[in-house]
Amino acid sequence: MIRFVLAAALSVLAILPARAAVEIQEVTTPGGFTAWLVEENSIPFAAIEIRFMGGASLDPEGKRGAVNLMMALLEEGSGDMDAQAFAEAREELATTIRFDSSDDDVSVSLRFLTENRDASVDLLTQALTEPSFDQDALDRVREQVLSGIRSNQTDPSAIARETFYRLAWGDHPYGSRSDGTTESVMSLTRDDMFDAHARTISKDRVFVGAVGNINADELAMVLDRILGELPETGAPQAPDGTYQAPVGITTVPFETPQSVALFGHEGIARDDPDFFTAFVVNEIFGSAGFESRLMQEIRVKRGLTYGIGAYLAPRDRGALILGQVATAGERMTETIEALRAEWARIAEEGVTEEELEAAKTYLTGAYPLRFDGNATIARIMVGMQMDGLPIDYIATRNDNVNAVTLEEARRVAARIYRPEDLHIVVVGAPEGLEPGN
């Protein structure tokens, strides 16, 4: 019966009108934690998103993959529960608890029915504060991670990403995969899991968003229960990365029908005053839609690929502008020539008034569609906090889009697209393409 009610609640969420106006209130708990809350009482359901800044970038030297493995183990047993008992308790409550990690944060997602709030919170609190990291669970999950690493070693796109990031960031944590290498993951011990937990999950780096059938007082009580027993501080944050990839081409021979290219250079930070304009400009240049410059010039006009795009990739310790394309080996040289020409053209000519107005219309019209469920809104609010955005950002975001002028767009295009710095990693068997060209 509980599972049926949750399914019905989720189906209601799916058909709720898009919420262009989201009313956010800031909640401060007696324990000193701050959260953003959107109270929505139409159904007896709530979602809480918790993130701890730092993430896998806090892996100790020689222990790459420790945070990733630790987070995967949090649902594999805690307190007096083994993995099966934890899964059964979660199923009985019709509660969703998910743990994830990236280089910049570790995240905890909780969704629950109002009637099961207290039991769901207790289950999550136990997982966060009393992880067992049993050896049998560690060995089982380690093998799952190793399977993913082995799979990536035969995936051209994964190889391209790993190569580009290594060239871009060197020895910085951004220069290697957060799930580690076969060697580093094999060396991880149970003690390393407790150490990774202590390094990343602490009171001094937490951000919270909550949406649904929960009020400010209830949220304050819940958060103090979940977070109150955590350590006060974790490991120091990682230093900023230094971009170091040279201009040119790196080729990685690989037998595959289609070659894959990952391209880009240093980008623009999320807190840079020009970031918003850069976001609008890149919608014109490299969005996934057919109207973008790259798609028009390289797919529609030349038929060189099924898809190509570029995107801003700001992270806490460094930023990139990246893009990807796949094409037949004999067409990769021509594709790269066209890509370089477009990269230079956007820098030299900027965008047109017509392109700018079309991008504004799309971006402002599509934005409300993002707010399609409690969990989604909770994630958005946490991201806003971590990016240092104001609490009224959702209400003012479209005004910021419409305020971008043609002069600003052309100036920022010349700033952020630097053809003289463009590096391209090609994985496959491209014909007539030499490294460094």
Side-chain angles (χ1 to χ4, degrees), residues 1-13 43-46 92-95 112-116:
M1 179 63 182
I2 290 175
R3 288 190 293 274
F4 173 78
V5 172
L6 179 59
L10 292 173
S11 68
V12 170
L13 276 180
I43 57 173
F45 171 82
E92 179 63 27
L93 293 169
T95 292
F112 56 86
L113 291 168
T114 303
E115 64 183 274
N116 293 335

Side-chain angles (χ1 to χ4, degrees), residues 19-25 36 270-273 275-277 279-280 312 363-364 367-368 370-371 377 379-402 404:
R19 296 181 237 188
V22 177
E23 296 183 9
I24 303 174
Q25 54 181 308
W36 287 4
R270 183 63 185 82
D271 60 357
D272 189 291
F275 181 85
F276 213 96
T277 302
F279 169 73
V280 175
L312 306 181
L363 290 171
T364 55
Y367 188 59
R370 297 180 59 192
F371 303 94
I377 298 172
R379 287 193 296 270
I380 289 172
M381 290 195 300
V382 171
M384 288 166 55
Q385 294 173 69
M386 297 186 78
D387 286 339
L389 298 173
I391 199 168
D392 65 347
Y393 172 78
I394 292 173
T396 62
R397 182 265 194 186
N398 279 353
D399 293 336
N400 292 333
V401 170
N402 286 323
V404 174

Side-chain angles (χ1 to χ4, degrees), residues 227-241:
L227 305 172
E229 298 303 316
L230 294 178
E232 293 294 330
T233 61
Q237 298 293 340
D240 290 346

Side-chain angles (χ1 to χ4, degrees), residues 55-61 63-68 173 177-178 196 199:
S57 65
L58 302 181
D59 280 333
E61 186 175 354
K63 302 289 185 179
R64 195 65 166 136
V67 170
N68 175 71
R177 294 183 58 88
S178 63
R199 296 175 72 84

Side-chain angles (χ1 to χ4, degrees), residues 244-257:
Q244 52 196 270
V247 65
I249 297 173
T250 298
T251 58
V252 181
F254 191 83
E255 288 300 322
T256 179

